[in-house]
Amino acid sequence: MKAILLERVGGVENLAIRNVERPMAKENEVLIEVKAISINPVDYKVRANKDVLQKISGGQAPIILGWDVAGNVVATGIHVSQYQVGDQVFGMLNFPGRGNAYAQMVTAAEDHIAKIPEDLSFEDAAATTLAALTALQVLQDKVQKDDRVLIHGGSGGVGHFAIQIAKWLGAYVITTSSAKNRDFVMALGADEHIDYRTQAFEDVVTDMDFIFDMFSGDILLNSVKVVRAGGSIVSIPTPEFSDEVMNLAKERNVHVSNLLVQSNGDDMKTLKNLLESGTIKPHVSKTFPFDRMAEAHQQLESGRTVGKVVVTL
């Protein structure tokens, strides 16, 4: 079968299509014929940085990257009970760890996937994996009904799911994006929009119950200034925070934490239900064929993607 290997850490020129051995499903796994792959910032960060590669996948190049897939079950392990050959499934595979999603066939643990809702495309299913799981896992235990929630980067992959999930949880949602994406984020359900290019959010909002930070740096520091005492922030870019952030958070009685998304079949089933009810809807802004994976990486690295980037097979 064909797969895309990262032959060495560095630029997109190191992503190469190669023939590799077809994987075999273990006793608690299914074998999936991949139809669509979702691309995330972690993909290009792992590709470009050997320390991130080691931290996330625990390995060294050459390696097959990728974690988000949608496709057809073509074989099952002897202990698999939830899925059978012919089922259409989607999920985030083995994250953190070796995902191996950039391939025509992949294996997935039974408890990492869910069935694709009827009438949902493989592209939309693949898009509703790592980014949607991140939003769900950050918000589901932190946000209560009527909370005032600020979501930074609401037009991005994680952000556009976070707006929808926060509204499902009953929050009042304020989000940041560029002015050109205002209509997009408002259509997702946001109650207020802040144009980050012309407005400093710390001058606009105060007494937030919860803030979802995608950027760290000054954005995280200024976020601490606008959370109420006893409120909280989850920042996903880095697990380590500066002394300035932590000292200010302690002074203001604000809880700051990091979350690294985890593969979770139960959470995937929650996303399946939210998709079926129309509560969430993925936005795929760019789709590339498998042999143009390098362009998919470059698109995401540009920082100008609205919603998700998907690669099809």
Side-chain angles (χ1 to χ4, degrees):
M1 71 168 191
K2 293 188 181 301
I4 295 177
L5 269 68
L6 175 67
E7 299 196 313
R8 63 187 62 85
V9 170
V12 295
E13 69 277 5
N14 296 319
L15 296 169
I17 296 180
R18 297 287 185 257
N19 288 313
V20 300
E21 187 176 350
R22 172 174 165 162
M24 299 287 290
K26 297 177 182 177
E27 58 186 21
N28 292 311
E29 293 181 336
V30 300
L31 180 66
I32 302 170
E33 179 188 20
V34 178
K35 295 297 185 182
I37 302 165
S38 173
I39 310 301
N40 300 283
V42 70
D43 295 40
Y44 66 74
K45 291 176 182 178
V46 168
R47 185 206 76 224
N49 188 302
K50 64 180 181 181
D51 292 333
V52 180
L53 173 63
Q54 177 63 35
K55 178 182 177 181
I56 297 296
S57 74
Q60 298 179 345
I63 193 171
I64 301 173
L65 297 180
W67 291 269
D68 292 358
V69 301
N72 297 311
V73 174
V74 294
T76 61
I78 59 172
H79 291 161
V80 171
S81 60
Q82 299 180 63
Y83 305 101
Q84 58 187 7
V85 172
D87 284 343
Q88 297 183 349
V89 296
F90 68 132
M92 181 183 72
L93 314 182
N94 195 36
F95 190 90
R98 290 175 178 262
N100 296 336
Y102 293 4
Q104 291 178 315
M105 297 279 183
V106 301
T107 56
E110 180 182 28
D111 59 358
H112 286 180
I113 59 176
K115 291 181 182 178
I116 297 175
E118 289 186 17
D119 301 323
L120 191 73
S121 69
F122 286 117
E123 292 84 354
D124 281 351
T128 316
T129 41
L130 187 150
L133 279 173
T134 301
L136 180 66
Q137 291 176 6
V138 165
L139 296 169
Q140 62 185 347
D141 295 325
K142 294 283 195 302
V143 172
Q144 307 295 321
K145 188 177 186 301
D146 296 325
D147 276 357
R148 285 170 51 80
V149 172
L150 173 62
I151 297 169
H152 290 297
S155 63
V158 174
H160 90 290
F161 284 117
I163 291 171
Q164 297 174 79
I165 290 172
K167 291 304 296 180
W168 168 62
L169 293 168
Y172 183 90
V173 176
I174 304 168
T175 192
T176 65
S177 78
S178 63
K180 70 178 182 179
N181 291 323
R182 179 187 184 279
D183 289 346
F184 173 69
V185 298
M186 296 301 287
L188 295 172
D191 298 287
E192 294 184 37
H193 170 262
I194 299 170
D195 177 3
Y196 73 90
R197 290 178 175 169
T198 62
Q199 297 173 288
F201 73 88
E202 63 270 25
D203 295 334
V204 179
V205 301
T206 188
D207 292 327
M208 303 306 300
D209 295 293
F210 179 82
I211 296 181
F212 194 167
D213 168 46
M214 319 288 178
F215 303 106
S216 195
D218 288 342
I219 289 177
L220 174 58
L221 180 63
N222 289 326
S223 292
V224 178
K225 300 174 183 177
V226 300
V227 177
R228 65 167 175 81
S232 60
I233 300 171
V234 172
S235 178
I236 60 174
T238 173
E240 299 177 356
F241 306 118
S242 69
D243 290 342
E244 187 177 15
V245 166
M246 297 312 295
N247 289 337
L248 182 61
K250 183 177 180 180
E251 176 185 325
R252 293 184 51 81
N253 188 25
V254 172
H255 183 257
V256 179
S257 63
N258 170 262
L259 181 141
L260 181 64
V261 64
Q262 304 287 323
S263 297
N264 186 304
D266 289 338
D267 286 344
M268 284 304 306
K269 291 178 176 65
T270 296
L271 294 174
K272 172 183 180 290
N273 292 336
L274 293 176
L275 287 164
E276 288 178 331
S277 66
T279 302
I280 63 171
K281 183 177 181 180
H283 178 79
V284 178
S285 62
K286 294 281 187 178
T287 303
F288 296 89
F290 191 61
D291 60 1
R292 290 170 58 191
M293 179 66 75
E295 293 177 55
H297 274 234
Q298 291 170 328
Q299 169 61 41
L300 206 56
E301 281 184 283
S302 74
R304 296 190 296 271
T305 299
V306 176
K308 294 289 299 175
V309 172
V310 168
V311 169
T312 57
L313 286 80

